[in-house]
Amino acid sequence: MSGAVAVLPTKYCMNAAVRAVVRMGIYVKAKVYFVYEGYQGMVDGGDNIVEVSWESVSSILQVGGTVIGSARCKSFRTREGRLQAAYNLVQRGITNLCVIGGDGSLTGANLFREEWSGLLEELAQKGQIDEEAVKKYAYLNIVGMVGSIDNDFCGTDMTIGTDSALHRIIEVVDAIMTTAQSHQRTFVLEVMGRHCGYLALVSALACGADWVFIPEYPPEEGWEDSMCVKLSENRARKKRLNIIIVAEGAIDCHNKPITSEKVKDLVVQRLGFDTRVTILGHVQRGGTPSAFDRILASRMGVEAVLALLEATPATPACVVSLSGNQAVRLPLMECVQMTQEVQKAMDEGRFVEAVKLRGRSFENNLNTYKLLSHKKPDAELPMTNFNVAVLNVGAPAAGMNAAVRAAVRVGITEGHKMFAVIDGFEGFARGKIKEISWGDVGGWTGQGGSILGTKRTLPAKYLEKIADQMRTNNINALMVIGGFEAYESCLQLYEARSCFEEFCVPICVLPATISNNVPGTDFSIGADTALNAIVETCDRIKQSASGTKRRVFIIETMGGYCGYLANMGALAAGADAAYIFEEQFDIRELQANVEHLTEKMKTSIQRGLVLRNENCNENYTTDFIYQLYSEEGKGVFDCRKNVLGHMQQGGAPSPFDRNFGTKISAKAMQWISKKLKETYRKGAGKIFANTDDSVCLLGMRRRNLVFQPVAELKTETDFVHRIPKEQWWLKLRPLMKILAKYKTSYDVSDSGQLEHVAMHSPKEAETGAI
């Protein structure tokens, strides 16, 4: 990469992205500049374009918004403004721009790149720069990162800032639900999203809202009657509150606005319900960034620098984005054009096409919400005569209840009788099983822990009793939601099929554990909530040292032998080191870490953070590391330790866990229905499923949701330590070290390659991209 790099935020963005670009840029030995106040600062020049150091981006991870400011700029829209901006960049040798913004900002950046050589020629003609400068700075490379809380940019599953905005919305919804329940009220919540309904849709999915209005999917003619009937039915089922979510840009099928006040007046006039309106406004833009956003922004920032390193004059301007769990690079203008196509489709009333253009993630969210929000009359439901049981196994994880709710409601919609098993396989053996209805799971999405109750007991010692209960209750399929124990349990049932025909039924495992140690999936339900709890605590601990000079904190996280929480928590909290079982360490490395922190204390950053996974090493315990750091750092820094413990398992589920749990559970139940049809033997009048692919774990792998036979996952599993043999997040470990100023090599083999934006095909939808 020739020339310096400039970081330019033009919109609400994440400081984690700014920090990652600066530190990765310095790591590859480039000069890095801040452009204060967006394009305006680039045009004005002077003190608005400043070279930055490693320490310039210290302590900004936990700060919302952008520390280098952002402003709208009319002058950059003129050629004269762009000419001045080009002059200011050339004066500092800047030929690489990392722009963080929305489609307008990124379109402006692309135009600037296209005009660059012409702008330099004009500056040379005016005598402002010489011919040598024209040759030396002949090309401008641009990489975009999308910073937008609306998640309105095509080509990426999540824009930087969206998850944090969802956190703010869900915090408000959870708080409102308690008061609404007390007073039997209806609440109409207006959320941001002038042209995109993502925030409204996902928050409706995450809180189980009764109705949602979004611009991409206007309600049908006569929606007023349908909505009022549904609200009345819910009240008749003893539901004490109603939540209606309205995107600020919501419209009807005639493109006329639907406002929160209009919805409130309708409910009051037609039903006489006590109704309140809450407009969240700019609350959604503020607050502390979520763990997901910090990790996403850090990954995208590093990816942006790698893209600039590899850029050539022939490379089109690109945006780095997220597809499933994979970083990808897409041509900037293809994404912008598709984003503009969505608005055009909505303006022309082509709403089905608009939803498809938004991408597979948006469409899946919408389909899942429609499936779960409205119960068809019993007369319209199919009758399959199949009984499906749902149970939780292992330690509780936030989001389990959302998964149970989705399973029950989709199962009922598919025509099955749904049964809930209390207290896992132990409860199953004792006959603690009951039928569960649509209304029984109302309000479950926001509840932490496990309402059904869960035990770590494996089925091996109860096989006969469990088989007996399955026969007695005529259970035709099982959905098991839990961690490593759930996976092991289903393996045991699979292996016991030769002795017990009752286990020859479709069985699906949904990974749900804070440890994220289940083979066959990149993410588990509950891990995001635990990660947020860790990061929030780390922020507070770091803040406690702001008035105390030179202090290092040793923090122990859970996770068994899996270092996911320690590693990702360290990345999201800006830690100096993370000790994990998967990467063995010795006394020399501990000594090197102490020396690294000693050097750090000589700078203006006078505090340190070290995370340790609970089982990373049986001899180097948290106490040992604390005592070592205390002794070796004597006179330079003092030490404190903190064991986070079970607070990582508690709390309300994060928006990601509610959404992820809901969507994978709905998909799993549809798979169970398909398997029941395939394995039903008409002659015998019963289900007989004895193939490997009838006992599957549904996991997210890179970009897709995949059903994998548990028998095949055995080879991928380290049963002694209860972890997968290969774990995707270990590739992010060097990233954490680089951002903490360690010299290490970074594997670029997994970095994104330039792809093209394409509308997903029906086949892609079947593979289950989330």
Side-chain angles (χ1 to χ4, degrees), residues 484-764:
F484 200 87
E485 291 89 351
Y487 159 65
E488 269 194 295
S489 296
C490 292
L491 254 178
Q492 289 180 0
L493 295 181
Y494 163 77
E495 285 163 358
R497 279 179 163 180
S498 56
C499 303
F500 300 96
E501 200 179 287
E502 290 81 3
F503 301 144
C504 294
V505 296
I507 301 172
C508 190
V509 190
L510 294 189
T513 167
I514 68 163
S515 304
N516 198 28
N517 64 332
V518 181
T521 187
D522 291 355
F523 294 115
S524 299
I525 301 163
D528 183 71
T529 306
L531 206 49
N532 276 290
I534 292 166
V535 170
E536 194 179 316
T537 308
C538 288
D539 287 349
R540 290 185 182 188
I541 286 171
K542 280 164 74 178
Q543 194 178 38
S544 76
S546 58
T548 312
K549 292 293 181 187
R550 301 201 300 256
R551 180 164 285 174
V552 173
F553 294 92
I554 316 291
I555 296 170
E556 183 186 297
T557 66
M558 291 173 89
Y561 286 97
C562 180
Y564 176 82
L565 290 179
N567 190 70
M568 302 307 267
L571 181 57
D576 297 280
Y579 299 120
I580 59 172
F581 171 78
E582 291 88 347
E583 192 176 280
Q584 292 298 298
F585 57 95
D586 57 23
I587 197 72
R588 288 183 293 275
E589 188 170 335
L590 289 169
Q591 184 62 40
N593 293 151
V594 173
E595 287 165 9
H596 183 269
L597 281 164
T598 304
E599 286 302 306
K600 182 182 176 181
M601 295 298 166
K602 293 175 185 173
T603 70
S604 59
I605 315 164
Q606 297 189 333
R607 66 172 180 274
L609 191 65
V610 174
L611 271 65
R612 178 191 176 274
N613 163 255
E614 60 184 347
N615 287 343
C616 66
N617 189 295
E618 62 179 334
N619 296 315
Y620 299 138
T621 62
T622 302
D623 282 334
F624 177 89
I625 292 172
Y626 163 68
Q627 286 162 4
L628 177 77
Y629 271 66
S630 298
E631 181 62 32
E632 296 295 315
K634 203 174 274 182
V636 182
F637 56 80
D638 65 356
C639 242
R640 296 288 185 274
K641 66 173 174 177
N642 201 307
V643 178
L644 301 186
H646 282 75
M647 63 160 286
Q648 296 160 84
Q649 276 187 351
S654 68
F656 179 91
D657 279 332
R658 297 181 196 199
N659 191 13
F660 184 56
T662 298
K663 287 206 285 191
I664 68 168
S665 182
K667 188 163 188 65
M669 188 49 70
Q670 288 169 329
W671 175 86
I672 283 173
S673 295
K674 183 171 158 244
K675 286 289 172 192
L676 284 169
K677 284 174 192 164
E678 287 173 5
T679 57
Y680 180 65
R681 294 188 169 179
K682 274 189 181 175
K686 65 175 184 180
I687 296 294
F688 187 76
N690 66 342
T691 55
D692 286 1
D693 66 355
S694 60
V695 185
C696 281
L697 181 139
L698 174 56
M700 185 181 184
R701 285 221 152 154
R702 293 171 81 87
R703 302 196 194 188
N704 295 315
L705 285 174
V706 188
F707 289 96
Q708 301 144 100
V710 292
E712 289 176 15
L713 290 174
K714 276 178 81 172
T715 55
E716 299 177 25
T717 309
D718 173 355
F719 284 97
V720 176
H721 299 105
R722 295 157 57 87
I723 53 173
K725 288 178 183 174
E726 284 187 23
Q727 300 183 83
W728 69 273
W729 53 266
L730 284 169
K731 289 188 176 177
L732 299 184
R733 191 149 170 80
L735 168 58
M736 185 269 291
K737 291 181 179 179
I738 289 167
L739 298 180
K741 212 175 184 177
Y742 283 92
K743 288 183 172 67
T744 185
S745 58
Y746 187 70
D747 178 14
V748 295
S749 64
D750 207 41
S751 63
Q753 301 303 310
L754 193 67
E755 300 177 10
H756 289 286
V757 185
M759 270 180 63
H760 59 285
S761 63
K763 182 70 188 163
E764 264 186 312

Side-chain angles (χ1 to χ4, degrees), residues 99-286:
V99 182
I100 310 169
D103 60 332
S105 308
L106 297 174
T107 304
N110 191 64
L111 175 63
F112 188 46
R113 179 181 186 266
E114 287 172 351
E115 290 182 346
W116 181 257
S117 55
L119 293 169
L120 263 55
E121 292 290 347
E122 196 174 325
L123 287 169
Q125 285 166 14
K126 289 182 177 180
Q128 290 180 271
I129 60 172
D130 56 27
E131 285 299 327
E132 192 183 329
V134 174
K135 287 177 186 171
K136 188 176 179 182
Y137 307 119
Y139 302 104
L140 178 70
N141 297 316
I142 283 176
V143 170
M145 280 189 280
V146 193
S148 163
I149 69 165
D150 293 336
N151 203 28
D152 56 355
F153 195 80
C154 291
T156 183
D157 285 352
M158 280 288 257
T159 55
I160 298 166
T162 303
D163 190 66
S164 298
L166 283 170
H167 272 258
R168 300 297 88 80
I169 295 167
I170 293 305
E171 282 161 16
V172 172
V173 171
D174 285 352
I176 277 174
M177 277 177 134
T178 52
T179 182
Q181 235 162 358
S182 305
H183 297 281
Q184 278 198 291
R185 279 188 179 142
T186 297
F187 269 89
V188 182
L189 263 79
E190 184 181 300
V191 301
M192 283 184 163
R194 219 174 6 207
H195 305 295
C196 178
Y198 184 88
L199 287 179
L201 178 57
V202 174
S203 48
L205 197 58
C207 72
D210 297 270
W211 204 272
V212 64
F213 294 96
I214 58 173
E216 295 88 345
Y217 189 76
E220 293 172 2
E221 203 84 69
W223 62 268
E224 297 91 342
D225 295 331
S226 306
M227 186 183 79
C228 289
V229 166
K230 187 183 175 195
L231 296 179
S232 299
E233 283 175 356
N234 284 347
R235 281 290 170 93
R237 291 194 198 110
K238 302 283 189 294
K239 188 177 179 185
R240 293 179 61 83
L241 78 156
N242 302 109
I243 300 279
I244 299 165
I245 296 182
V246 183
E248 63 178 328
I251 50 173
D252 64 16
C253 53
H254 303 296
N255 257 328
K256 289 183 179 160
I258 296 175
T259 64
S260 46
E261 282 297 332
K262 180 181 177 180
V263 174
K264 176 206 163 181
D265 292 343
L266 179 73
V267 174
V268 171
Q269 286 162 18
R270 296 261 188 114
L271 302 172
F273 290 174
D274 186 2
T275 308
R276 299 283 190 275
V277 171
T278 300
I279 298 173
L280 297 191
H282 281 75
V283 164
Q284 297 156 85
R285 288 189 183 274

Side-chain angles (χ1 to χ4, degrees), residues 384-405:
T384 63
N385 293 321
F386 293 135
N387 296 344
V388 181
V390 184
L391 67 158
N392 293 338
V393 178
M400 274 183 165
N401 298 320
V404 173
R405 170 185 173 267

Side-chain angles (χ1 to χ4, degrees), residues 329-367:
R329 299 176 197 170
L330 300 166
L332 189 152
M333 288 316 293
E334 283 187 26
C335 295
V336 168
Q337 281 157 12
M338 191 172 280
T339 304
Q340 291 167 350
E341 278 295 317
V342 179
Q343 191 56 49
K344 190 179 172 191
M346 288 195 285
D347 292 342
E348 293 172 3
R350 294 179 283 117
F351 296 110
V352 173
E353 193 179 333
V355 168
K356 286 200 177 299
L357 286 166
R358 275 277 176 243
R360 54 193 186 168
S361 176
F362 188 93
E363 191 173 8
N364 283 350
N365 282 323
L366 182 59
N367 290 337

